[in-house]
Amino acid sequence: MTTAPMPDFPAGFRWGVSTSAYQIEGATTVDGRGPSIWDTFAREPGRIVDGSTGDEACDHHHRYAEDTALLAGLGVSAYRFSISWPRIQPTGAGPALTAGLDFYDRLVDGLLAAGVDPVATLFHWDLPQALEDAGGWLNRDTAARFAEYADVTAARLGDRVKLWITLNEPFIHMSLGHGMGVHAPGRVLLFDAFPVAHHQLLGHGLAVAALRARTASPVAIANNYSPVRPAGDSDVDRAAAAYDALHNRLFTDPLLGLGYPDAPGVDPTVVRDGDLDVIAAPIEVLGVNYYNPTGIRAPEEGSPLPFEIVPLDGYPRTAFDWPVAPDGLRELLLQLRDRYGDALPEIQVTESGCAYDDAPDAQGRVDDPERIAYLDGHVRAVHEAIGAGVPVTGYFVWSLLDNWEWAEGFTKRFGLVHVDYPTQRRTPKSSYAWFRDLVRR
Ligand code: PNW
């Protein structure tokens, strides 16, 4: 970490923190909530490293007032949360459940009273199980169901949510959920998962139209990006380009009107006339989730993949074994600007953060200097990108709270606030104080 003073950010720059519904809420059976694919997946033996589920998670559904007070104490101008689709429509179709909407209504009003802008994500991977039973995102109809869910949700919250985000990381949901089977719904389709990409993007486009009818607030999507670092030499350029097209362009080129790139798995027979126009509906903000770059080399002879992912040498590592590479964030922001030029909307970094094995000391304090160094480096990288002309207007830390980290269960802690799961006691870490001081300046 450099000791140089943090440079000033433009006035109005949005500082926030992010969470998602299934990772923090718990209370999975209250108020008529239906099961989601993550309730199902977490119950399958061997799926989650510690055998846990999100049944309780951080118990945020009951403790949202305490968590809103933590946000107020942090002084952030925005909080990005996600809405649980099966709380609103238990089977993914039909009228909205009033009790489900009531929870988010209370949350949103509490945030506004605390001076925090509510930023709502509609889909952070917790698909209603009934839709999965009908084919999930492999079924084109799910895109229409998603737009209907966006409509009924924005009918209630559209006047107060300050930024709507349709999908969170459709690439990770496709690749880990449907390609490799390490996330719900656990399908192993490899590149045959492409319809999951197209139907999510179609759902996004249809939802943008539904939101426009209900709200004047800006609309975004949150994509995951990872700049590609070629490793090795023979045929590496071809492998790197294939991975780059899959991870960084498949979910962005069609959004910005360029159609699908030449990426592994793209199947034009899935794309109907008019779909690309729906997908390219203008959005005000591109959400960028960034954690690390990806090392790529040419595949072994006979490999089913046109690339091989390899660990990157020479970087410190988080508890997830992910490399700490703030330069990758600057590189990616510049790449987006260079690639899309005037078609690129305003960017907000909607997730940036790291997992470490944080634990309270004998005095009950949680000191996490590695997280402070991580965030310091990434915030500076954003500042450099702004200086180079990239229109970045916000930065959200993943995450407010330690929470249920998908297939990793409770074993990975990403929070600015430590959570002791048996007691649900919240303890702000030293990174919470660091971020508060940064935001306050
Ligand atoms: C994102 N990967 O997920 C999600 O949006 C969050 O819900 C999650 O908690 C956070 O990042 C930390 O993992 C990802 O394997 C999951 O490359 C896996 C990967 C990337 C992002």
Side-chain angles (χ1 to χ4, degrees):
M1 182 168 115
T2 118
T3 49
M6 182 64 76
D8 285 336
F9 278 71
F13 190 82
R14 179 178 257 165
W15 297 104
V17 289
S18 296
T19 62
S20 90
Y22 191 68
Q23 295 181 270
I24 67 167
E25 287 179 354
T28 53
T29 56
V30 307
D31 294 339
R33 177 190 179 278
S36 82
I37 58 173
W38 275 97
D39 296 287
T40 307
F41 185 76
R43 282 176 169 67
E44 293 171 10
R47 294 298 201 179
I48 310 300
V49 294
D50 58 3
S52 63
T53 71
D55 288 358
E56 292 184 31
C58 303
D59 196 35
H60 168 78
H61 196 270
H62 297 117
R63 295 169 196 261
Y64 70 93
E66 178 184 353
D67 294 337
T68 302
L70 285 165
L71 291 163
L74 192 54
V76 285
S77 51
Y79 172 53
R80 172 177 176 241
F81 59 96
S82 82
I83 294 171
S84 161
W85 187 347
R87 283 193 199 285
I88 310 302
Q89 293 176 305
T91 62
L97 269 188
T98 305
L101 285 168
D102 286 346
F103 169 68
Y104 297 104
D105 202 273
R106 290 194 296 273
L107 175 67
V108 162
D109 283 346
L111 292 169
L112 292 170
V116 179
D117 285 351
V119 174
T121 304
L122 285 165
F123 182 68
H124 201 123
W125 306 345
D126 46 355
L127 191 77
Q129 181 62 42
L131 292 184
E132 185 63 30
D133 296 342
W137 288 110
L138 289 164
N139 180 351
R140 184 178 169 96
D141 186 55
T142 297
R145 298 281 70 73
F146 180 65
E148 187 183 284
Y149 156 60
D151 172 63
V152 296
T153 304
R156 179 77 179 271
L157 303 172
D159 55 336
R160 284 158 294 149
V161 166
K162 301 299 181 202
L163 174 65
W164 287 93
I165 298 177
T166 55
L167 306 175
N168 178 70
E169 298 188 351
F171 169 71
I172 299 291
H173 191 54
M174 175 191 74
S175 58
L176 297 193
H178 300 77
M180 317 291 289
V182 302
H183 279 186
R187 297 187 195 253
V188 186
L189 299 171
L190 301 178
F191 295 128
D192 291 336
F194 173 72
V196 174
H198 184 62
H199 297 148
Q200 285 185 95
L201 284 168
L202 186 63
H204 157 83
L206 295 170
V208 170
L211 290 167
R212 297 294 181 211
R214 296 286 190 185
T215 178
S217 295
V219 177
I221 189 172
N223 272 329
N224 182 282
Y225 294 96
S226 181
V228 175
R229 301 281 164 87
D233 35 40
S234 88
D235 276 342
V236 69
D237 289 345
R238 191 143 43 107
Y243 190 79
D244 186 43
L246 190 67
H247 196 139
N248 298 313
R249 293 177 49 196
L250 185 63
F251 292 89
T252 307
D253 286 12
L255 279 180
L256 301 181
L258 302 176
Y260 283 108
D262 179 18
V266 170
D267 174 2
T269 67
V270 173
V271 184
R272 296 194 191 162
D273 279 356
D275 286 0
L276 290 172
D277 292 334
V278 173
I279 291 169
I283 51 175
E284 286 75 22
V285 175
L286 178 65
V288 167
N289 294 0
Y290 169 76
Y291 289 92
N292 50 254
T294 301
I296 291 293
R297 74 175 179 209
E300 302 285 319
E301 280 277 317
S303 161
L305 303 182
F307 50 78
E308 187 187 337
I309 297 178
V310 291
L312 285 168
D313 295 333
Y315 292 98
R317 298 190 165 268
T318 70
F320 223 133
D321 219 24
W322 291 352
V324 177
D327 52 326
L329 177 54
R330 185 191 53 232
E331 175 184 340
L332 141 68
L333 292 168
L334 293 171
Q335 193 172 74
L336 285 168
R337 198 266 323 267
D338 293 346
R339 202 164 261 177
Y340 300 112
D342 291 343
L344 183 69
E346 173 184 321
I347 288 175
Q348 297 193 13
V349 177
T350 34
E351 288 183 25
S352 170
C354 50
Y356 287 105
D357 295 327
D358 308 309
D361 65 17
Q363 285 74 45
R365 284 193 293 259
V366 184
D367 198 18
D368 57 343
E370 305 97 332
R371 179 169 293 98
I372 294 174
Y374 185 102
L375 296 175
D376 181 273
H378 287 72
V379 167
R380 287 176 196 276
V382 169
H383 191 271
E384 288 167 20
I386 295 171
V390 188
V392 188
T393 58
Y395 178 90
F396 292 71
V397 174
W398 183 271
S399 178
L400 171 66
L401 302 171
D402 290 344
N403 60 48
W404 193 78
E405 176 55 32
W406 308 114
E408 306 292 319
F410 291 113
T411 67
K412 298 289 183 290
R413 296 180 175 275
F414 276 88
L416 297 179
V417 175
H418 181 272
V419 177
D420 177 61
Y421 297 110
T423 62
Q424 294 292 350
R425 189 188 311 113
R426 275 78 162 132
T427 305
K429 304 177 189 179
S430 48
S431 58
Y432 175 97
W434 177 86
F435 197 56
R436 180 194 61 208
D437 293 346
L438 173 71
V439 169
R440 223 185 236 160
R441 296 174 326 133

